[in-house]
Amino acid sequence: MGKGITIALIASLALNVFAIGFISGRIIKPNHQPSAQTLEAPHHRMDNPRGFMQRAKDLPPESRNAFRHAIRSNIPKLRAQKKEIYKLQRTYYDALRADKWDRATVETALGDLQEARDRGRAMIDEAFLDAVESLDADARAQLLHRAEEDAPHHRKRKHRKKE
């Protein structure tokens, strides 16, 4: 058998296994529960400064500048927190990979990582509130409307579920 046929057969097998798994998953659990991110569709990608900035591009210039300034003023703190999270992730993964298993060390590293992630999430939320606070009611409504427009795949999934 030639190399091309062998590759084609392997690709076909992989595709069939994927299809069977996908169809089986739909049969076993047909009532898919939306994820937390789906439930927060209007705010999709509004959990990071870059996403905030992209959403603000359609605001009037004065509102956009105030919004971006509020976000930028928080970026150094967010970057520092992100570095801490990366450091704690390395510590956690190093504990998982250690030759000698020490559950207490792994649990401590995981707890530290989770706390840092929670602090980071709180900092992001605070940065978002600082930025939104700089906007008037019309600009806030425009920002959230833009977020809803940018998340059409969430609405499609929700709509399909009702059918």
Side-chain angles (χ1 to χ4, degrees), residues 76-142:
K77 292 187 300 185
L78 295 171
R79 283 188 179 143
Q81 183 63 24
K82 191 173 188 178
K83 285 181 183 179
E84 180 186 353
I85 289 170
Y86 285 148
K87 180 182 163 213
L88 292 169
Q89 280 177 328
R90 282 191 300 274
T91 302
Y92 172 62
Y93 290 124
D94 288 346
L96 286 174
R97 285 188 211 106
D99 290 335
K100 185 176 180 202
W101 177 253
D102 184 356
R103 185 176 182 112
T105 301
V106 173
E107 286 177 343
T108 299
L110 179 58
D112 293 346
L113 176 59
Q114 289 171 334
E115 287 175 13
R117 285 178 177 160
D118 290 345
R119 283 191 306 273
R121 180 72 234 178
M123 291 171 76
I124 289 169
D125 291 342
E126 188 68 27
F128 178 71
L129 293 178
D130 290 347
V132 171
E133 185 176 38
S134 71
L135 302 175
D136 61 25
D138 290 337
R140 283 193 312 270
Q142 186 177 356

Side-chain angles (χ1 to χ4, degrees), residues 7-73:
I7 292 171
L9 288 173
I10 291 171
S12 175
L13 176 65
L15 191 59
N16 286 328
V17 168
F18 171 76
I20 290 169
F22 181 77
I23 292 168
S24 298
R26 292 290 182 167
I27 291 170
I28 292 170
K29 189 171 181 183
N31 293 334
H32 170 72
Q33 295 297 320
S35 67
Q37 188 177 22
T38 303
L39 297 173
E40 298 172 7
H43 308 291
H44 177 68
R45 290 198 48 186
M46 292 188 84
D47 61 350
N48 68 67
R50 208 173 276 147
F52 300 154
M53 303 281 235
Q54 289 173 349
R55 293 278 166 34
K57 72 182 180 184
D58 294 333
L59 293 173
E62 186 178 303
S63 296
R64 181 177 56 239
N65 291 337
F67 186 84
R68 287 182 173 172
H69 177 73
I71 291 294
R72 285 186 181 123
S73 67

Side-chain angles (χ1 to χ4, degrees), residues 132-156:
V132 171
E133 185 176 38
S134 71
L135 302 175
D136 61 25
D138 290 337
R140 283 193 312 270
Q142 186 177 356
L143 185 69
L144 292 175
H145 177 71
R146 172 65 196 267
E148 289 172 353
E149 286 179 345
D150 286 352
H153 63 280
H154 291 296
R155 284 193 301 276
K156 284 180 189 174

